[in-house]
Amino acid sequence: MSPAETERHHRFLRSFTAHEPAIRAHVRRLVPARADADDVMQEISVVLWEKFDSFRDGADFRAWAFGVARFEVLAWLRDRGRDRLVLDEEVIAKIAEETTAEEPRLQRQRDALEHCMKKVPADQRDLLMQAYQPESRIQEVAQGSGRTVAGFYQWLHRMRKLLLDCIRRAMTQEEVAP
Protein backbone atom coordinates (compact mmCIF):
# COMPACT_ATOMS: atom_id res chain seq x y z
CA MET A 1 0.00 0.00 0.00
CA SER A 2 1.41 3.40 -0.97
CA PRO A 3 1.80 6.19 1.63
CA ALA A 4 -1.11 8.07 0.01
CA GLU A 5 -3.35 5.01 0.22
CA THR A 6 -2.31 4.45 3.83
CA GLU A 7 -3.14 8.07 4.70
CA ARG A 8 -6.52 7.77 2.91
CA HIS A 9 -7.24 4.59 4.85
CA HIS A 10 -6.33 6.28 8.15
CA ARG A 11 -8.46 9.36 7.38
CA PHE A 12 -11.44 7.13 6.67
CA LEU A 13 -10.95 5.03 9.81
CA ARG A 14 -10.57 8.12 12.03
CA SER A 15 -13.72 9.68 10.59
CA PHE A 16 -15.74 6.48 10.60
CA THR A 17 -14.83 5.40 14.12
CA ALA A 18 -15.54 8.89 15.47
CA HIS A 19 -19.03 8.89 13.95
CA GLU A 20 -19.95 5.19 13.93
CA PRO A 21 -22.04 5.32 17.16
CA ALA A 22 -24.14 8.18 15.77
CA ILE A 23 -24.54 6.46 12.40
CA ARG A 24 -25.55 3.22 14.13
CA ALA A 25 -28.06 5.09 16.34
CA HIS A 26 -29.48 6.75 13.22
CA VAL A 27 -29.87 3.37 11.48
CA ARG A 28 -31.44 1.80 14.60
CA ARG A 29 -34.14 4.47 14.49
CA LEU A 30 -34.91 3.56 10.87
CA VAL A 31 -34.65 -0.23 10.95
CA PRO A 32 -36.93 -2.16 13.32
CA ALA A 33 -34.72 -5.05 14.42
CA ARG A 34 -31.21 -4.85 15.88
CA ALA A 35 -29.96 -7.74 13.73
CA ASP A 36 -31.27 -6.01 10.59
CA ALA A 37 -29.66 -2.74 11.68
CA ASP A 38 -26.35 -4.58 12.12
CA ASP A 39 -26.64 -5.99 8.60
CA VAL A 40 -27.45 -2.55 7.19
CA MET A 41 -24.51 -1.05 9.11
CA GLN A 42 -22.15 -3.54 7.47
CA GLU A 43 -23.38 -2.45 4.05
CA ILE A 44 -23.10 1.21 5.01
CA SER A 45 -19.50 0.67 6.15
CA VAL A 46 -18.60 -0.90 2.82
CA VAL A 47 -20.35 1.81 0.79
CA LEU A 48 -18.74 4.60 2.83
CA TRP A 49 -15.32 3.12 2.20
CA GLU A 50 -15.99 2.56 -1.51
CA LYS A 51 -17.27 6.13 -1.92
CA PHE A 52 -14.73 7.80 0.37
CA ASP A 53 -12.91 9.23 -2.68
CA SER A 54 -16.03 11.31 -3.39
CA PHE A 55 -16.01 12.75 0.15
CA ARG A 56 -14.60 16.29 0.17
CA ASP A 57 -11.98 17.07 2.80
CA GLY A 58 -13.38 19.51 5.32
CA ALA A 59 -16.98 18.46 4.66
CA ASP A 60 -19.19 17.07 7.44
CA PHE A 61 -18.48 13.32 7.49
CA ARG A 62 -21.47 12.62 9.73
CA ALA A 63 -23.92 14.39 7.43
CA TRP A 64 -22.44 12.59 4.42
CA ALA A 65 -22.61 9.24 6.21
CA PHE A 66 -26.23 9.88 7.26
CA GLY A 67 -27.10 10.48 3.60
CA VAL A 68 -25.43 7.22 2.58
CA ALA A 69 -27.17 5.45 5.47
CA ARG A 70 -30.54 6.74 4.35
CA PHE A 71 -30.05 5.34 0.85
CA GLU A 72 -28.81 2.02 2.23
CA VAL A 73 -31.86 1.77 4.50
CA LEU A 74 -34.11 2.51 1.52
CA ALA A 75 -32.30 -0.20 -0.48
CA TRP A 76 -32.78 -2.61 2.43
CA LEU A 77 -36.48 -1.68 2.51
CA ARG A 78 -36.80 -2.28 -1.21
CA ASP A 79 -35.19 -5.70 -0.81
CA ARG A 80 -37.47 -6.50 2.14
CA GLY A 81 -40.55 -5.00 0.50
CA ARG A 82 -42.52 -8.21 0.76
CA ASP A 83 -42.25 -8.13 4.55
CA ARG A 84 -45.42 -6.65 6.06
CA LEU A 85 -43.47 -5.13 8.96
CA VAL A 86 -41.32 -2.85 6.79
CA LEU A 87 -42.17 0.85 6.84
CA ASP A 88 -43.08 2.77 3.71
CA GLU A 89 -40.22 4.66 2.02
CA GLU A 90 -41.90 8.02 2.68
CA VAL A 91 -42.14 7.22 6.39
CA ILE A 92 -38.46 6.21 6.46
CA ALA A 93 -37.53 9.41 4.64
CA LYS A 94 -39.46 11.50 7.17
CA ILE A 95 -37.91 9.66 10.13
CA ALA A 96 -34.45 10.02 8.58
CA GLU A 97 -35.01 13.75 8.12
CA GLU A 98 -36.18 14.20 11.70
CA THR A 99 -33.40 12.08 13.21
CA THR A 100 -30.78 13.95 11.19
CA ALA A 101 -32.13 17.21 12.60
CA GLU A 102 -32.16 15.75 16.13
CA GLU A 103 -28.65 14.28 15.92
CA PRO A 104 -26.76 17.31 17.35
CA ARG A 105 -28.97 17.27 20.46
CA LEU A 106 -28.66 13.49 20.77
CA GLN A 107 -24.87 13.75 20.46
CA ARG A 108 -24.82 16.34 23.26
CA GLN A 109 -26.87 13.92 25.36
CA ARG A 110 -24.45 11.06 24.62
CA ASP A 111 -21.53 13.31 25.54
CA ALA A 112 -23.27 14.34 28.76
CA LEU A 113 -23.98 10.68 29.59
CA GLU A 114 -20.33 9.81 29.03
CA HIS A 115 -19.30 12.72 31.29
CA CYS A 116 -21.78 11.64 33.98
CA MET A 117 -20.76 7.98 33.78
CA LYS A 118 -17.18 9.00 34.56
CA LYS A 119 -18.45 10.39 37.87
CA VAL A 120 -19.92 7.01 38.88
CA PRO A 121 -17.53 4.85 40.94
CA ALA A 122 -15.91 2.14 38.81
CA ASP A 123 -17.59 -0.80 40.57
CA GLN A 124 -21.05 0.74 40.16
CA ARG A 125 -20.30 1.74 36.56
CA ASP A 126 -19.33 -1.89 35.83
CA LEU A 127 -22.63 -3.09 37.32
CA LEU A 128 -24.58 -0.60 35.23
CA MET A 129 -22.79 -1.73 32.09
CA GLN A 130 -23.45 -5.39 32.93
CA ALA A 131 -27.16 -4.68 33.35
CA TYR A 132 -27.36 -3.19 29.86
CA GLN A 133 -25.43 -5.80 27.91
CA PRO A 134 -27.62 -7.24 25.12
CA GLU A 135 -27.75 -10.78 26.52
CA SER A 136 -27.56 -9.94 30.22
CA ARG A 137 -30.03 -11.37 32.71
CA ILE A 138 -30.91 -9.05 35.56
CA GLN A 139 -31.26 -11.99 37.93
CA GLU A 140 -27.64 -12.98 37.33
CA VAL A 141 -26.34 -9.40 37.56
CA ALA A 142 -28.31 -8.86 40.78
CA GLN A 143 -26.95 -12.09 42.27
CA GLY A 144 -23.41 -11.12 41.26
CA SER A 145 -23.86 -7.76 42.99
CA GLY A 146 -25.01 -9.40 46.22
CA ARG A 147 -28.48 -7.88 45.96
CA THR A 148 -31.89 -9.40 45.58
CA VAL A 149 -33.55 -8.84 42.22
CA ALA A 150 -35.94 -6.31 43.81
CA GLY A 151 -33.05 -4.58 45.54
CA PHE A 152 -31.08 -4.46 42.31
CA TYR A 153 -34.01 -2.92 40.46
CA GLN A 154 -34.28 -0.27 43.17
CA TRP A 155 -30.56 0.46 42.92
CA LEU A 156 -30.82 0.57 39.12
CA HIS A 157 -33.74 3.02 39.38
CA ARG A 158 -31.72 5.30 41.69
CA MET A 159 -28.69 5.16 39.38
CA ARG A 160 -30.82 6.00 36.33
CA LYS A 161 -32.30 8.97 38.18
CA LEU A 162 -28.86 10.19 39.26
CA LEU A 163 -27.58 9.91 35.70
CA LEU A 164 -30.65 11.61 34.26
CA ASP A 165 -30.31 14.50 36.72
CA CYS A 166 -26.61 14.80 35.89
CA ILE A 167 -27.33 14.79 32.14
CA ARG A 168 -30.01 17.45 32.53
CA ARG A 169 -27.63 19.64 34.54
CA ALA A 170 -24.89 19.18 31.95
CA MET A 171 -27.27 20.00 29.10
CA THR A 172 -28.58 23.08 30.90
CA GLN A 173 -25.07 24.30 31.67
CA GLU A 174 -24.13 23.77 28.03
CA GLU A 175 -27.08 25.88 26.88
CA VAL A 176 -26.02 28.84 29.03
CA ALA A 177 -22.29 28.48 28.40
CA PRO A 178 -20.82 30.90 25.84
Side-chain angles (χ1 to χ4, degrees):
M1 192 180 302
S2 74
E5 290 171 325
T6 300
E7 175 55 29
R8 174 179 172 260
H9 186 84
H10 288 171
R11 275 193 349 262
F12 173 79
L13 285 176
R14 281 190 294 273
S15 296
F16 182 74
T17 55
H19 297 288
E20 192 270 342
I23 299 164
R24 182 173 298 279
H26 180 69
V27 170
R28 278 289 293 133
R29 289 187 291 270
L30 301 174
V31 177
R34 183 178 302 274
D36 292 335
D38 290 343
D39 292 344
V40 173
M41 272 303 296
Q42 287 178 355
E43 277 307 306
I44 291 167
S45 302
V46 169
V47 171
L48 289 173
W49 171 245
E50 289 174 347
K51 295 185 178 218
F52 190 61
D53 285 336
S54 69
F55 177 71
R56 291 175 290 127
D57 280 340
D60 185 350
F61 184 88
R62 182 180 299 185
W64 177 69
F66 276 27
V68 170
R70 178 178 175 207
F71 286 112
E72 287 304 309
V73 167
L74 290 173
W76 176 82
L77 278 172
R78 199 172 38 254
D79 294 345
R80 299 282 302 246
R82 292 178 299 274
D83 189 342
R84 296 177 319 171
L85 301 176
V86 175
L87 296 174
D88 180 70
E89 285 187 23
E90 286 181 35
V91 173
I92 291 291
K94 183 66 176 166
I95 293 171
E97 182 182 308
E98 289 176 5
T99 59
T100 300
E102 283 291 307
E103 180 53 33
R105 182 184 60 79
L106 294 172
Q107 184 60 48
R108 287 192 311 275
Q109 285 179 336
R110 285 189 292 272
D111 292 343
L113 174 60
E114 185 176 328
H115 168 77
C116 294
M117 284 293 287
K118 288 178 182 175
K119 293 180 175 184
V120 174
D123 59 332
Q124 292 182 16
R125 188 173 47 241
D126 290 344
L127 263 179
L128 275 168
M129 297 306 289
Q130 285 178 36
Y132 286 100
Q133 292 302 311
E135 299 298 320
S136 76
R137 298 190 48 173
I138 291 296
Q139 294 81 359
E140 293 170 6
V141 178
Q143 184 179 19
S145 74
R147 294 176 175 90
T148 65
V149 172
F152 186 77
Y153 274 117
Q154 288 175 350
W155 174 82
L156 197 55
H157 176 74
R158 285 192 305 273
M159 292 304 296
R160 288 178 186 150
K161 178 147 179 29
L162 287 171
L163 286 170
L164 181 59
D165 291 344
C166 178
I167 291 166
R168 285 180 175 156
R169 280 192 307 276
M171 297 288 289
T172 300
Q173 290 172 356
E174 184 180 292
E175 290 172 6
V176 295

